[in-house]
Coordinates of all heavy atoms in Angstrom, one line a residue:
A119 N 4.0 1.8 -13.1 CA 3.2 1.1 -12.2 C 3.0 -0.4 -12.6 O 2.8 -1.2 -11.7 CB 1.8 1.7 -12.2
H120 N 3.3 -0.7 -13.8 CA 3.1 -2.1 -14.3 C 4.4 -2.9 -14.4 O 4.4 -4.1 -14.6 CB 2.4 -2.2 -15.6 CG 1.0 -1.7 -15.6 ND1 0.0 -2.4 -15.0 CD2 0.4 -0.5 -16.0 CE1 -1.1 -1.7 -15.0 NE2 -0.9 -0.5 -15.7
L121 N 5.5 -2.3 -14.2 CA 6.8 -2.9 -14.3 C 7.2 -3.7 -13.0 O 7.0 -3.1 -11.9 CB 7.9 -1.9 -14.6 CG 7.8 -1.2 -16.0 CD1 8.9 -0.2 -16.1 CD2 7.8 -2.2 -17.1
R122 N 7.6 -4.9 -13.1 CA 8.1 -5.7 -12.0 C 9.4 -6.3 -12.3 O 9.5 -7.3 -13.1 CB 7.1 -6.8 -11.6 CG 5.7 -6.3 -11.3 CD 5.7 -5.7 -9.9 NE 4.3 -5.2 -9.5 CZ 3.9 -4.0 -9.7 NH1 4.7 -3.1 -10.1 NH2 2.7 -3.6 -9.3
H123 N 10.5 -5.9 -11.7 CA 11.8 -6.4 -12.0 C 12.7 -6.0 -10.8 O 12.6 -4.9 -10.3 CB 12.3 -5.9 -13.3 CG 13.6 -6.6 -13.8 ND1 14.8 -6.2 -13.3 CD2 13.8 -7.6 -14.6 CE1 15.7 -7.0 -13.8 NE2 15.1 -7.8 -14.6
P124 N 13.6 -6.8 -10.4 CA 14.5 -6.5 -9.3 C 15.3 -5.2 -9.5 O 15.7 -4.6 -8.6 CB 15.4 -7.7 -9.1 CG 14.8 -8.8 -9.9 CD 13.9 -8.2 -10.9
H125 N 15.6 -4.8 -10.8 CA 16.4 -3.7 -11.1 C 15.6 -2.4 -11.5 O 16.2 -1.4 -11.9 CB 17.4 -4.0 -12.2 CG 18.4 -5.1 -11.8 ND1 19.0 -5.9 -12.7 CD2 18.7 -5.6 -10.6 CE1 19.8 -6.8 -12.1 NE2 19.6 -6.6 -10.8
I126 N 14.3 -2.5 -11.3 CA 13.4 -1.3 -11.6 C 12.7 -0.9 -10.3 O 12.1 -1.8 -9.7 CB 12.4 -1.7 -12.7 CG1 13.1 -2.0 -14.0 CG2 11.5 -0.5 -13.0 CD1 12.2 -2.5 -15.2
L127 N 12.8 0.3 -10.0 CA 12.2 0.8 -8.8 C 10.7 0.7 -8.9 O 10.1 1.2 -9.9 CB 12.6 2.2 -8.5 CG 14.1 2.5 -8.2 CD1 14.3 4.0 -8.1 CD2 14.5 1.8 -6.9
P128 N 10.0 0.2 -7.9 CA 8.5 0.1 -7.9 C 7.9 1.5 -7.6 O 8.5 2.4 -7.0 CB 8.2 -0.8 -6.8 CG 9.3 -0.7 -5.8 CD 10.5 -0.4 -6.7
L129 N 6.7 1.7 -8.1 CA 5.9 2.9 -7.8 C 5.2 2.7 -6.5 O 4.5 1.7 -6.3 CB 4.9 3.0 -9.0 CG 4.0 4.2 -8.9 CD1 4.7 5.4 -9.4 CD2 2.7 4.0 -9.6
F130 N 5.4 3.6 -5.6 CA 4.7 3.5 -4.3 C 3.4 4.3 -4.3 O 2.4 3.9 -3.7 CB 5.6 4.2 -3.2 CG 6.7 3.3 -2.7 CD1 7.7 3.9 -1.9 CD2 6.8 2.0 -2.9 CE1 8.8 3.1 -1.4 CE2 7.9 1.2 -2.4 CZ 8.8 1.8 -1.7
D131 N 3.4 5.4 -5.0 CA 2.2 6.3 -4.9 C 2.3 7.3 -6.1 O 3.4 7.4 -6.7 CB 2.3 7.1 -3.6 CG 1.0 7.9 -3.2 OD1 0.0 7.7 -3.9 OD2 1.1 8.7 -2.3
S132 N 1.2 7.9 -6.4 CA 1.2 8.9 -7.5 C -0.1 9.8 -7.3 O -1.0 9.4 -6.5 CB 1.2 8.3 -8.9 OG -0.1 7.6 -9.1
G133 N -0.1 10.9 -8.0 CA -1.2 11.8 -7.9 C -0.9 13.1 -8.6 O 0.0 13.1 -9.4
T134 N -1.6 14.1 -8.3 CA -1.3 15.5 -8.8 C -1.2 16.4 -7.6 O -1.9 16.3 -6.6 CB -2.3 15.9 -9.8 OG1 -3.6 15.9 -9.2 CG2 -2.4 15.1 -11.0
V135 N -0.4 17.4 -7.8 CA -0.3 18.5 -6.8 C -0.3 19.8 -7.5 O 0.5 20.0 -8.4 CB 1.0 18.3 -5.9 CG1 2.2 18.2 -6.7 CG2 1.1 19.4 -4.9
D136 N -1.4 20.6 -7.3 CA -1.6 21.9 -7.9 C -1.5 21.7 -9.4 O -0.9 22.5 -10.2 CB -0.5 22.9 -7.4 CG -0.9 24.3 -7.8 OD1 -2.1 24.6 -7.9 OD2 0.0 25.1 -8.0
G137 N -2.1 20.6 -10.0 CA -2.2 20.4 -11.4 C -0.9 19.7 -12.0 O -0.9 19.4 -13.1
L138 N 0.1 19.4 -11.1 CA 1.3 18.8 -11.6 C 1.3 17.3 -11.2 O 1.2 17.0 -10.0 CB 2.5 19.5 -11.1 CG 2.7 20.9 -11.5 CD1 4.0 21.5 -10.8 CD2 2.9 21.0 -13.0
P139 N 1.4 16.4 -12.1 CA 1.5 15.0 -11.7 C 2.8 14.6 -11.0 O 3.9 15.3 -11.3 CB 1.4 14.2 -13.0 CG 1.6 15.2 -14.1 CD 1.4 16.5 -13.6
Y140 N 2.8 13.7 -10.1 CA 4.0 13.2 -9.4 C 3.9 11.8 -9.2 O 2.8 11.2 -9.3 CB 4.2 14.0 -8.1 CG 3.2 13.6 -7.1 CD1 3.4 12.5 -6.2 CD2 2.0 14.3 -6.9 CE1 2.5 12.1 -5.2 CE2 1.0 13.9 -6.0 CZ 1.3 12.8 -5.2 OH 0.4 12.4 -4.2
Y141 N 5.0 11.1 -8.9 CA 5.0 9.8 -8.4 C 6.1 9.6 -7.4 O 7.1 10.3 -7.4 CB 4.9 8.7 -9.5 CG 6.1 8.5 -10.4 CD1 7.1 7.6 -10.1 CD2 6.2 9.2 -11.6 CE1 8.2 7.3 -11.0 CE2 7.3 9.0 -12.5 CZ 8.2 8.0 -12.2 OH 9.3 7.8 -13.0
V142 N 5.9 8.6 -6.5 CA 6.7 8.3 -5.4 C 7.4 6.9 -5.6 O 6.7 6.0 -5.9 CB 6.0 8.4 -4.1 CG1 6.9 8.1 -2.9 CG2 5.2 9.7 -3.9
M143 N 8.7 6.9 -5.4 CA 9.4 5.6 -5.5 C 10.4 5.5 -4.4 O 10.6 6.5 -3.7 CB 10.1 5.5 -6.9 CG 11.1 6.7 -7.2 SD 11.4 6.8 -8.9 CE 11.4 8.6 -9.1
P144 N 11.0 4.3 -4.2 CA 12.0 4.2 -3.1 C 13.2 5.1 -3.4 O 13.5 5.4 -4.6 CB 12.5 2.7 -3.2 CG 11.4 2.0 -4.0 CD 10.8 3.1 -4.9
F145 N 13.8 5.6 -2.3 CA 15.0 6.4 -2.5 C 16.2 5.4 -2.3 O 16.3 4.7 -1.4 CB 15.1 7.5 -1.4 CG 16.5 8.1 -1.3 CD1 16.9 8.9 -2.3 CD2 17.3 7.9 -0.2 CE1 18.2 9.5 -2.3 CE2 18.5 8.5 -0.1 CZ 19.0 9.3 -1.2
I146 N 17.1 5.4 -3.3 CA 18.3 4.6 -3.3 C 19.5 5.5 -3.2 O 19.7 6.3 -4.1 CB 18.4 3.7 -4.6 CG1 17.2 2.9 -4.8 CG2 19.7 2.9 -4.5 CD1 16.8 1.9 -3.7
D147 N 20.2 5.4 -2.0 CA 21.3 6.3 -1.8 C 22.5 5.8 -2.6 O 22.8 4.6 -2.5 CB 21.6 6.4 -0.3 CG 22.5 7.5 0.1 OD1 22.7 8.4 -0.8 OD2 23.1 7.5 1.2
G148 N 23.2 6.7 -3.3 CA 24.3 6.3 -4.0 C 24.5 7.2 -5.2 O 23.7 8.1 -5.5
A149 N 25.6 7.0 -5.9 CA 26.0 7.9 -7.0 C 25.3 7.3 -8.3 O 25.1 6.1 -8.4 CB 27.5 7.9 -7.2
S150 N 25.0 8.2 -9.2 CA 24.4 7.8 -10.5 C 25.6 7.2 -11.3 O 26.8 7.5 -11.1 CB 23.8 8.9 -11.2 OG 24.8 9.9 -11.6
L151 N 25.2 6.4 -12.3 CA 26.2 5.8 -13.2 C 27.0 7.0 -13.9 O 28.2 6.9 -14.1 CB 25.6 4.9 -14.2 CG 26.6 4.2 -15.2 CD1 27.7 3.5 -14.5 CD2 25.8 3.3 -16.2
R152 N 26.3 8.0 -14.3 CA 26.9 9.2 -14.9 C 28.0 9.8 -14.0 O 29.1 10.1 -14.5 CB 25.8 10.2 -15.2 CG 26.5 11.5 -15.8 CD 25.4 12.6 -16.1 NE 24.7 12.1 -17.3 CZ 23.6 12.6 -17.7 NH1 23.0 13.5 -17.1 NH2 23.0 12.1 -18.8
R153 N 27.7 9.9 -12.8 CA 28.6 10.5 -11.8 C 29.9 9.6 -11.6 O 31.0 10.0 -11.6 CB 28.0 10.8 -10.5 CG 28.9 11.6 -9.6 CD 28.2 12.1 -8.3 NE 27.3 13.1 -8.8 CZ 26.2 13.5 -8.0 NH1 26.0 12.9 -6.9 NH2 25.4 14.5 -8.5
V154 N 29.6 8.3 -11.6 CA 30.7 7.3 -11.5 C 31.6 7.4 -12.7 O 32.8 7.4 -12.6 CB 30.2 5.9 -11.3 CG1 31.3 4.8 -11.4 CG2 29.5 5.8 -9.9
L155 N 31.0 7.5 -13.9 CA 31.8 7.5 -15.1 C 32.6 8.8 -15.3 O 33.6 8.8 -15.9 CB 30.9 7.2 -16.3 CG 30.4 5.8 -16.4 CD1 29.4 5.7 -17.6 CD2 31.5 4.8 -16.5
Q156 N 32.1 9.9 -14.7 CA 32.8 11.1 -14.7 C 34.2 11.1 -14.0 O 35.1 11.9 -14.2 CB 32.0 12.3 -14.2 CG 30.8 12.7 -15.1 CD 29.9 13.7 -14.5 OE1 29.9 13.9 -13.3 NE2 29.1 14.3 -15.3
Q157 N 34.3 10.1 -13.1 CA 35.5 10.0 -12.3 C 36.6 9.2 -13.1 O 37.7 9.1 -12.6 CB 35.2 9.3 -11.0 CG 34.3 10.1 -10.1 CD 33.9 9.3 -8.9 OE1 34.3 8.2 -8.6 NE2 33.0 10.0 -8.1
G158 N 36.3 8.7 -14.3 CA 37.2 8.0 -15.1 C 36.7 6.6 -15.4 O 35.7 6.2 -15.0
P159 N 37.5 5.9 -16.3 CA 37.1 4.6 -16.7 C 37.0 3.6 -15.6 O 37.8 3.7 -14.6 CB 38.2 4.2 -17.7 CG 39.1 5.3 -17.9 CD 38.8 6.4 -16.8

């Protein structure tokens, strides 16, 4: 919630649901770096 940087997703919302904490952030469509690296160098 306190981080502000162009490469860090902001926190939109947070709370608890049935005792479980959650938070909401923007959805960025695309592959993870892990998935990209699995395809080779």
Side-chain angles (χ1 to χ4, degrees):
H120 294 289
L121 297 175
R122 300 285 180 263
H123 189 277
H125 298 158
I126 298 174
L127 295 174
L129 179 83
F130 283 165
D131 191 12
S132 67
T134 58
V135 54
D136 196 30
L138 298 176
Y140 70 90
Y141 66 94
V142 180
M143 59 198 139
F145 169 69
I146 306 297
D147 194 15
S150 69
L151 181 57
R152 174 180 289 166
R153 187 168 292 157
V154 169
L155 292 175
Q156 287 172 344
Q157 297 173 1

